[in-house]
Amino acid sequence: MPFKIYQGSTVIAEGESPLAINGLEPNTEVTAGEYQAVRVDGERESERVDIPGFTTLAESEPDQIEEPNVEPEEIDVRPQTNNFSEQGVVRYMTATVLPEEADQTVTWESEDTNIALIDAEGKVTARNPGTTTIIATASNGVTGTATINCNWGG
């Protein structure tokens, strides 16, 4: 059976119970009788009944779900060994920070940029013959490495 809530002659809420009085500021004190409730049966309304006085709840911050801070423990860099047979060849490296719940952000670095370059996305470009190490570093300093071999004649 539906209900209505009145404030004076204005209907401010109607429907099935429970009903809510919206638009009140936090910590608002409402006096008894400021609002009345009626039961509705078809077109007929029951006699108005005063709603007891109340104070609205204080405003609260939405519940914050705090993610646990999981520190990186190791980095798995793939492929572990890269063999380039000509200058300018490009390949992509991947880095998986473990455990998987840890921040997956890494920075890339080549120990010898004369032999191979690596950009922020893990793209390796062969430059000159030789061997170098690519290093992926997590936010807390944990590292993972891979080997780059650049071998071509002339």
Side-chain angles (χ1 to χ4, degrees):
M1 183 170 294
F3 294 86
K4 288 183 183 177
I5 296 178
Y6 284 90
Q7 182 178 28
S9 61
T10 306
V11 175
I12 61 157
E14 59 185 304
E16 297 296 324
S17 180
L19 295 177
I21 300 173
N22 296 315
L24 297 175
E25 293 293 319
N27 293 320
T28 300
E29 215 171 287
V30 176
T31 59
E34 186 174 340
Y35 295 96
Q36 299 85 36
V38 297
R39 187 172 22 201
V40 179
D41 184 9
E43 296 294 315
R44 298 179 349 171
E45 293 182 0
S46 69
E47 186 175 321
R48 290 186 184 194
V49 175
D50 287 345
I51 294 176
F54 61 91
T55 301
T56 59
L57 298 174
E59 190 169 22
S60 63
E61 293 294 318
D63 290 339
Q64 299 290 325
I65 299 174
E66 193 169 312
E67 295 292 326
N69 185 18
V70 178
E71 288 290 320
E73 295 174 10
E74 68 178 284
I75 301 176
D76 182 26
V77 178
R78 297 287 173 187
Q80 277 289 295
T81 304
N82 293 273
N83 297 309
F84 291 86
S85 57
E86 73 183 78
Q87 188 175 31
V89 172
V90 170
R91 295 211 182 109
Y92 284 87
M93 308 287 293
T94 62
T96 303
V97 178
L98 301 171
E100 290 180 5
E101 298 80 25
D103 179 5
Q104 294 293 308
T105 305
V106 298
T107 56
W108 293 99
E109 176 186 0
S110 172
E111 278 190 344
D112 189 338
T113 56
N114 224 12
I115 296 171
L117 292 174
I118 187 160
D119 71 8
E121 305 303 315
K123 179 175 86 173
V124 177
T125 305
R127 297 189 72 201
N128 291 298
T131 298
T132 189
T133 300
I134 296 295
I135 305 163
T137 305
S139 57
N140 67 346
V142 169
T143 62
T145 62
T147 302
I148 303 294
N149 298 307
C150 296
N151 298 308
W152 54 84

